[in-house]
């Protein structure tokens, strides 16, 4: 019994160190996720998005001249969002909708790192892996937020290249009782420019 009591403080200290180590790894994973999104938000990039839900699969394409200048399209519509305004095309001609619909496009990228920090939970480092033959590093995190007045929860995975840039992202989400799976393939291209339609 005395031996057990003598060992108890050491066991408690070791378990405390283990918990601190787990917490440190989680904090490191959160920092790595935030750094990757900071790089994304400061870059020009194109993204191919595939979302599968109850009504089937929708494919979309976006070009981001940073997160303030976006050109987005799918098979139903095309939209340009720039600081000067928002334009939309569902047929032949561009028009400016009476209400701001830019949130529909901007939902795919957080507005700021502060927004991301506020909505991110349970970040984890999943380690090195490969994707399409390329070496990548994977992370996971959960999101709990409100988008355009709708409560959204999701479990996410991102895959970073050697430069720490997100090249692929996957999300399993739920909103208004409906579940969906979204996959995003990201390509960085400094030549991308988004301007108002002419």
């Amino acid at each position: 019994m005395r031996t057990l009591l003598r060992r108890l403080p050491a066991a408690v200290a070791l378990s405390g160190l283990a918990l601190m180590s787990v917490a440190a790894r989680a904090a490191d994973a959160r920092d790595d996720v935030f750094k990757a999104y900071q790089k994304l938000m400061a870059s020009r990039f194109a993204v191919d998005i595939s979302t599968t839900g109850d009504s089937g699969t929708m494919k979309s394409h976006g070009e981001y001249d940073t997160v303030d200048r976006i050109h987005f399209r799918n098979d139903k519509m095309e939209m340009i969002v720039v600081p000067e305004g928002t334009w939309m095309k569902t047929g032949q001609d561009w028009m400016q909708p009476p209400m701001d619909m830019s949130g529909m496009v901007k939902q795919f990228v957080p507005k700021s790192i502060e927004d991301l920090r506020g909505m991110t939970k349970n970040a984890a480092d999943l380690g090195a892996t490969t994707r399409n033959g390329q070496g990548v590093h994977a992370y996971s995190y959960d999101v709990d937020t409100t988008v355009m007045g709708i409560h959204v929860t999701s479990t996410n995975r991102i895959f970073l290249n050697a430069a720490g840039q997100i090249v692929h992202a996957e999300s399993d989400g739920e909103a208004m009782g409906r579940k969906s799976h979204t996959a995003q393939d990201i390509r960085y291209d400094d030549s991308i420019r988004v301007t108002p339609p002419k």
Side-chain angles (χ1 to χ4, degrees):
M1 184 71 172
R2 286 179 185 164
T3 304
L4 179 62
L5 289 173
R6 280 198 302 269
R7 289 181 179 167
L8 190 58
V12 170
L14 286 174
S15 65
L17 286 172
L19 287 172
M20 287 171 60
S21 176
V22 168
R25 284 199 302 274
D28 288 346
R30 277 175 61 93
D31 286 344
D32 290 344
V33 168
F34 298 146
K35 286 176 189 171
Y37 273 103
Q38 278 179 317
K39 288 184 179 184
L40 181 71
M41 291 162 59
S43 300
R44 292 185 171 98
F45 63 94
V47 57
D48 290 307
I49 306 161
S50 176
T51 301
T52 302
D54 296 340
S55 55
T57 299
M58 175 183 286
K59 294 189 180 294
S60 308
H61 177 80
E63 293 184 354
Y64 288 74
D65 181 357
T66 70
V67 293
D68 293 321
R69 308 183 77 83
I70 306 164
H71 187 179
F72 177 86
R73 63 181 174 272
N74 59 33
D75 60 354
K76 293 184 170 62
M77 57 87 108
E78 188 171 359
M79 185 180 291
I80 290 176
V81 179
V82 291
E84 302 94 304
T86 299
W87 286 263
M88 189 166 144
K89 182 164 71 169
T90 55
Q92 296 295 318
D93 300 320
W94 288 101
M95 63 170 206
Q96 286 192 276
M99 54 190 235
D100 184 11
M101 299 180 67
S102 61
M104 188 166 57
V105 178
K106 291 184 175 181
Q107 66 178 315
F108 293 108
V109 177
K111 294 187 288 294
S112 70
I113 290 302
E114 288 71 30
D115 286 347
L116 186 63
R117 283 186 193 278
M119 65 177 82
T120 301
K121 301 176 180 179
N122 307 321
D125 185 337
L126 303 181
T129 185
T130 57
R131 177 161 183 83
N132 297 330
Q134 176 187 10
V136 292
H137 200 102
Y139 294 86
S140 67
Y141 62 95
D142 296 332
V143 163
D144 190 332
T145 188
T146 300
V147 177
M148 297 174 69
I150 299 169
H151 183 231
V152 178
T153 59
S154 64
T155 299
N156 307 272
R157 288 187 307 279
I158 58 172
F159 299 83
L160 313 187
N161 63 15
Q165 297 170 310
I166 303 170
V167 292
H168 182 75
E170 295 180 3
S171 174
D172 291 294
E174 183 170 353
M176 299 175 65
R178 297 190 175 194
K179 295 182 179 180
S180 64
H181 175 79
T182 299
Q184 301 180 55
D185 287 307
I186 299 166
R187 175 179 52 84
Y188 296 85
D189 183 350
D190 201 45
S191 70
I192 290 173
R193 298 292 185 274
V194 176
T195 57
K198 296 178 180 176

